[in-house]
RNA sequence: GGGCGGUUAGCUCAGCUGGUUAGAGCGCCUGCCUUACAAGCAGGAGGUCGCAGGUUCGAGUCCUGCACUGCCCACCA
């Protein structure tokens, strides 16, 4: 059994090898289970990355957390489906290809729609898989056989079906409204795609001459160029300053057009001059006012936000240039009467940063109120849980203030709206399939707009499971169990999935046997897209700045992986992912976790070295179980570990405690806690203590007998194997590598990923062993400590004296004297029956006094200083303890265990104080 | 204009429902190449938990106010 591993862990080759293996062996593929299946099911939909995407830290955090949860469930016997795919990402992809065309000196309009779309498909085929390839490097245990793309035929059909149904139900309508328009992308965008930014601007005051009155009315505006499209002036009916002007007209400066003065609540007396210009085609509020008063809508700009023919002599100018000219002309003609600094909340396009133009245009909308109502209920009723809790309220607030959703985009790449317009009668036909001709017999043409990308991604939880057909997959896997995602897309995506899911899956029933086994029996509503949502943090750079390409502070996960390994990078993200707080990604942590991987590696080398030398025949333990076992079944811990010694009992107990904690932490998404617990166990307990303690037993050539060595070695391998399973969800690669090596290429199952996750076994808890071990550790550390203080040569063995405060402690120490001698470099141990605390080179605790016998003079001054500090600390403890114990309130109100502990502690502190004082005296400290 | 989070060691962060003398990693100091590991081992220094009040027998933890900082939402000229 050759186990010659390199001395230092080299993640690169190992990781790609296992990543490929998992895919080739189709380990994570989940065939549709037949009726009668009663295993618990866990379903997770991968938030589909954009086909144009490149892996960033956010993805990696997201995927690490998902993979941890997924592997954990799979190992606990859940039928676990993790569904991957990519999003066609309308705007992003179209832009990408347009850029490519630009380099060839081409434009999409020149080549026409059909050819352009074909070109985008070509691009997708060539480059669209990049992000998924990167995912593979992370070890994501998704079911690749079910990979989808949002523009696949079946998914596109489902999109059309949804559109037609909503239209037929009156929940989709076509209308002329003011929408957010990005002049750069030349398309409408939704409210969510507009980012508001406070920027310094101006509030200009313009006076309009009142016709036939010989006076002016002054309005305030932040956008003077839109005055060219004014169709009224509004004042508030209650505003007495303007009562005499009601019904009059003003002459619109620069345009010489007469427009009415109207009364409308749009004008608020407190703001500015109390009078406001009304531009229905360029401002949403004015638009509404315009409808109320039946005002004309004069659109003075084109789709590029250049002034058009309605802008008179400003036609052809860019909007900002037009603003300058308009202001200049108004000033010159005496109409501009004021200019104040004013902060404006400027709306910009989420993707390109261009200032968004409110634009009047014909668009398709989803009537959101009825959908939002049920989406709200689903969360309010607890049918969907949102973790952390605070996002629940944020979600509900948003649902309460939601507006209709503009879903049409003036793009070429995406799901084209299934509506056809008649060329002769103008009638619109919405249909699943293209109609041959209009009802009137006229020729029809499909409308050119495509759907918002989020429209299709909002359907994924059911369309990926075969909807609109009623499939077995839906009965089994819908509702999906969990969604893990970033806060950023809570509204874009999560909210829409809930709305669509509740609407289209209404009446759906999950297979009852599966539902019950999965633990959802108490949930009534099976239409929800997922039972739980976990919102994770944002990954920032080490300076807490949001990572962005423009700032140039983007940390490339592949680069980090290259240098430290995927496992170490995953571990970093897990260990830093305390729910609710953002992660400032710090490479020094990753470096530390690479060291952790190396530690595990070397512990494995140590194990194999002994395995080979002792010649132990390693058998498959029954703790390795096949999928199909019930979660948390017994035997999933360490079955073949037979404690012989204190350290055996201790490590077994510790392992079970850690397993309990890790399972507990994962169940509530406390990834950092799970990671830290495994880390501390593996390094701080298993490596630092257990391995050191069992070395003499393993080393049978030195006189120990071989069967004892074999027993010790067997325990070691059992423990190690279980610890690997415990760690596997977080560090899948190194655990797989070592686990496979343990079985020497002949494991009973193909991967550690298919074994059982360790569960705590109550019978293996051993409180006595933990207590005794703590004392032994304390004793060893004390001696090491004293050696350092006395400046004993590192190699010199020293004699010590011990005063054990109880017989049981003395017995325990005697049983483990070999360990003490070896780990503290002790030559001989003498037990005495008197306090040793006043000796130089002694230390005492509640359980024992220990004295290192060594000639070398100590630094009296330094020692005094230290003792005084110690004394102060002890006295502080005594004072505060006495205060509490002297307090009747405390005694009556605090739980008895707390009081009890405090009493005990006070006794110990009193002893300690006594000892410290006598030591101070001994040294004649001043 | 609303809402949410953060402020704990030099740095990056833990600290769950209030309960012994507040922890980790990195960095720093001292000493060790001890036959798994120098990406290691042993030992050590370093904190009035942002500020001010309050509740409580007891507050890093709960409440109020303030300061600084970050984020999200918002069609008022």
């Amino acid at each position: 059994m050759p186990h010659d591993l390199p001395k230092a862990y080299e993640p690169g080759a190992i990781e790609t090898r296992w990543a490929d293996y998992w895919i080739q062996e189709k380990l994570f593929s989940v065939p549709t289970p037949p009726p009668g299946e009663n295993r618990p099911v866990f379903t997770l939909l991968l938030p589909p990355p954009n086909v144009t995407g490149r892996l960033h830290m956010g993805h990696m955090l997201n995927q690490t957390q998902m993979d941890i949860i997924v592997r954990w469930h799979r190992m606990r016997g859940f039928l676990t489906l993790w569904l991957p795919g990519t999003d066609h990402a309308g705007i992003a992809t179209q832009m990408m290809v347009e850029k490519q065309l630009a380099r060839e000196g081409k434009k999409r309009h020149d080549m026409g729609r059909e050819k352009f779309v074909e070109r985008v498909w070509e691009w997708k085929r060539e480059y669209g898989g990049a992000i998924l390839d990167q995912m593979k490097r992370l070890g994501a245990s998704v079911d690749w056989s079910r990979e989808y793309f949002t523009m696949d035929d079946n998914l596109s059909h489902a999109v059309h079906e949804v559109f037609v149904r909503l239209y037929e139900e009156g929940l989709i309508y076509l209308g002329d409204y003011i929408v957010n328009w990005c002049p750069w992308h030349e398309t409408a965008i939704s409210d969510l795609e507009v980012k508001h930014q406070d920027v310094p601007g101006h509030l200009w005051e313009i006076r309009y001459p009142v016709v036939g009155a010989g006076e002016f009315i002054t309005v305030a505006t932040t956008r003077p160029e839109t005055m060219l499209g004014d169709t009224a002036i509004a004042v508030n009916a209650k505003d007495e300053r303007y009562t005499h002007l009601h019904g009059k007209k003003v002459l619109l400066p620069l345009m010489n057009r007469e427009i009415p003065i109207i009364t409308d609540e749009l004008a608020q007396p407190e703001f500015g001059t109390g009078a406001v210009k009304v531009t229905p085609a360029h401002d949403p509020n004015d638009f509404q006012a315009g409808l109320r008063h039946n005002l004309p809508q004069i659109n003075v700009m084109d789709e590029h936000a250049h002034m058009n023919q309605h802008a008179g002599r400003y036609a052809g100018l860019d909007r900002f240039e037009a603003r300058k000219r308009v202001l200049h002309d108004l000033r010159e003609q005496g109409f501009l009467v004021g200019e104040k600094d004013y902060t404006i909340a400027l709306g910009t396009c989420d993707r390109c940063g261009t200032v968004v133009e409110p634009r009047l245009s014909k668009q398709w909308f989803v009537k959101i109120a009825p959908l939002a109502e049920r989406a709200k209920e689903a969360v309010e009723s607890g049918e969907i849980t949102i973790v952390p809790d605070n996002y629940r309220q944020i979600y509900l607030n948003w649902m309460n203030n939601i507006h209709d959703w503009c879903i049409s985009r003036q793009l070429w790449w995406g799901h084209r709206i299934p509506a056809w317009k008649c060329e002769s009668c103008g009638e619109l036909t919405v249909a699943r399939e293209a109609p041959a001709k209009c009802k009137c017999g006229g020729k029809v043409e499909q409308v050119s707009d495509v759907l918002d990308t989020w429209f299709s991604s909002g359907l994924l939880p059911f369309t990926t499971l075969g909807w609109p057909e009623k499939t077995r997959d839906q009965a089994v896997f819908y509702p999906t169990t969990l969604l893990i995602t970033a806060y950023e897309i809570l509204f874009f995506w999560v909210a829409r999935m809930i709305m669509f899911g509740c609407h289209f899956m209404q009446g759906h029933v999950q297979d009852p046997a599966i539902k019950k086994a999965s633990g959802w029996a108490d949930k009534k509503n099976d239409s929800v897209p997922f039972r739980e949502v976990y919102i994770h943090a944002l990954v920032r750079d080490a300076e807490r700045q949001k990572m962005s390409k423009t700032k140039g502070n983007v940390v490339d996960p592949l680069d980090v992986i290259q240098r430290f390994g995927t496992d170490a990078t995953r571990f970093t993200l897990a260990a830093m992912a305390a729910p609710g707080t953002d992660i400032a990604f710090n490479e020094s942590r990753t470096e530390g976790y690479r060291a952790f991987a190396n530690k595990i590696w070397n512990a494995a080398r140590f194990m194999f070295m002994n395995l080979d030398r002792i010649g132990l025949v390693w058998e498959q333990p029954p703790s390795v179980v096949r999928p199909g076992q019930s979660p948390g079944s017994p035997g999933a811990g360490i079955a073949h570990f037979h404690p012989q010694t204190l350290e055996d009992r201790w490590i077994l107990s510790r392992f079970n405690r850690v397993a309990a904690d890790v399972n507990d932490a994962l169940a509530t998404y406390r990834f950092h806690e799970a990671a830290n617990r495994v880390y501390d166990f593996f390094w701080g307990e298993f490596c630092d203590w257990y391995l050191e303690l069992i070395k003499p037993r393993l080393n049978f050539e030195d006189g120990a007998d071989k069967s004892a060595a074999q027993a010790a070695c067997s325990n070691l391998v059992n423990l190690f194997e279980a610890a690997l399973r415990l760690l596997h969800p977080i560090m899948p690669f190194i655990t797989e590598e070592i686990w496979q090596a343990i079985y020497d290429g002949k494991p009973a199952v193909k991967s550690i990923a298919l074994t059982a996750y360790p569960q705590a076994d109550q019978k293996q808890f051993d409180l006595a062993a933990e207590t005794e071990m703590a004392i032994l550790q304390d004793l060893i550390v004390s001696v090491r400590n004293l050696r350092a203080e006395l400046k004993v040569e590192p190699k010199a063995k020293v004699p010590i004296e011990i005063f054990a405060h109880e017989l049981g402690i003395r017995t325990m120490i005697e049983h483990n004297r070999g360990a003490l001698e070896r780990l503290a470099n002790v030559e001989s141990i003498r037990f005495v029956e008197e306090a040793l605390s006043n000796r130089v080179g002694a230390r005492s605790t509640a359980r024992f006094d220990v004295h290192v016998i060594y000639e070398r003079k100590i630094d009296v001054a330094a020692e005094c200083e230290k003792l005084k500090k110690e004394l102060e600390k002890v006295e502080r403890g005594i004072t505060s303890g006495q205060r509490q114990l002297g307090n009747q309130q405390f005694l009556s109100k605090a739980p008895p265990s707390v009081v009890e502990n405090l009493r005990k502690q006070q006794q110990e502190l009193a002893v300690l104080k006594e000892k410290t004082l006598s030591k101070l005296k001994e040294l004649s400290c001043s």
Side-chain angles (χ1 to χ4, degrees), chain A residues 44 99 130 157 216 306 335 454 462 482 693 724 738 780 813 821 888:
Chain A
L44 182 84
K99 263 188 215 159
H157 285 142
F216 293 93
H306 290 163
F335 293 114
W454 297 105
F462 48 93
L482 176 67
L693 286 166
L724 289 172
I738 297 171
I780 290 168
I813 296 170
E821 286 169 358
Q888 248 341 294

Side-chain angles (χ1 to χ4, degrees), chain A residues 24 33 82 151 282 324 328 382 417 473 510 513 523 525 535 578 676 751 924:
Chain A
Q24 270 163 25
W82 185 9
M151 296 250 292
H282 289 277
K324 278 187 209 155
H328 172 86
I417 288 178
D473 270 345
Q510 188 174 23
K523 299 287 179 188
N525 186 349
I535 307 278
N676 286 329
S751 164
S924 341

Side-chain angles (χ1 to χ4, degrees), chain A residues 6 114 141 167 201 325 335 340 371 378 395 413 421 592 597 625 690 695 784 804 816 843 848 862 897:
Chain A
E114 210 168 302
S141 60
Y167 182 79
R325 299 278 191 89
F335 293 114
K340 289 178 195 150
L371 296 171
Y395 168 89
W413 175 243
K421 195 176 179 180
V625 291
Y690 187 70
K695 277 179 181 174
R784 286 173 176 167
N816 293 282
R843 160 183 291 216
F848 58 81
S897 65

Side-chain angles (χ1 to χ4, degrees), chain A residues 65 68 534 571-579 589 593 657-681 726-727 730 757:
Chain A
Q65 295 191 344
I68 290 171
Y534 177 71
F571 202 94
T572 309
L573 292 169
M576 297 186 79
R589 290 284 288 263
Y593 294 125
R657 233 171 263 289
V658 171
D661 289 351
V662 171
N663 276 286
D664 196 47
L666 291 178
T668 46
Y669 310 110
R670 280 157 19 231
F671 297 98
H672 70 298
E673 215 173 291
N676 286 329
R677 293 294 282 128
V678 185
Y679 179 95
D680 290 340
F681 172 77
L726 191 70
L727 178 61
I730 309 180
Y757 200 69

Side-chain angles (χ1 to χ4, degrees), chain A residues 137-158:
Chain A
R137 186 78 176 80
L138 304 184
S141 60
V142 301
D143 182 351
W144 290 108
S145 72
R146 290 175 182 256
E147 181 187 335
Y148 65 85
F149 177 55
T150 50
M151 296 250 292
D152 285 343
D153 283 349
N154 55 335
L155 294 188
S156 298
H157 285 142

Side-chain angles (χ1 to χ4, degrees), chain A residues 11 15 55 60 137-138 556-566 569:
Chain A
E15 289 176 349
L55 195 79
M60 179 148 186
R137 186 78 176 80
L138 304 184
D556 180 357
L558 294 170
D559 173 55
V560 178
I561 284 172
Q562 177 70 33
R563 284 182 297 142
F564 303 109
T566 306
T569 314

Side-chain angles (χ1 to χ4, degrees), chain A residues 340-498:
Chain A
K340 289 178 195 150
D341 287 339
Y342 190 73
T343 303
I344 48 177
L346 199 61
T348 55
C349 174
D350 199 13
R351 297 184 163 278
C352 66
T354 306
V355 175
V356 164
E357 191 62 39
R359 180 161 198 254
L360 182 64
S361 63
K362 196 180 279 299
Q363 303 288 343
W364 296 82
F365 295 86
V366 171
K367 196 175 183 179
I368 218 80
L371 296 171
E373 195 50 41
R374 244 176 288 143
K376 225 171 76 182
E377 267 171 35
V379 170
E380 269 171 342
S381 65
E383 291 289 332
I384 297 175
T385 317
I386 300 182
V387 184
D389 195 43
N390 56 312
Y391 290 111
R392 187 184 126 95
Q393 200 52 49
I394 293 175
Y395 168 89
L396 291 173
N397 288 345
W398 187 77
M399 277 294 172
N400 281 325
N401 298 310
I402 195 167
H403 295 100
D404 283 357
W405 173 18
C406 174
I407 51 170
S408 44
R409 298 288 180 275
Q410 288 63 52
L411 304 172
W412 286 355
W413 175 243
H415 298 103
R416 200 161 169 179
I417 288 178
W420 287 261
K421 195 176 179 180
C422 175
E423 283 176 3
S424 42
C425 76
E427 175 83 12
L428 209 59
T429 310
V430 171
R432 288 165 178 81
E433 301 296 333
K437 51 183 151 183
C438 179
K439 277 181 286 187
C440 74
K443 213 175 138 201
V444 293
E445 197 182 357
Q446 186 167 12
V447 301
S448 61
D449 293 356
V450 299
L451 288 163
D452 181 2
T453 304
W454 297 105
F455 188 90
S456 53
S457 40
L459 310 169
L460 291 170
F462 48 93
T463 52
T464 51
L465 297 172
W467 192 91
E469 304 300 319
K470 271 207 187 301
T471 62
R472 174 71 187 149
D473 270 345
Q474 272 168 65
V476 174
F477 299 112
Y478 193 95
T480 66
T481 315
L482 176 67
L483 183 80
I484 300 189
T485 190
Y487 171 72
E488 289 180 300
I489 53 175
L490 179 62
F491 306 132
F492 277 114
W493 193 45
V494 182
R496 268 92 180 243
M497 282 191 285
I498 299 177

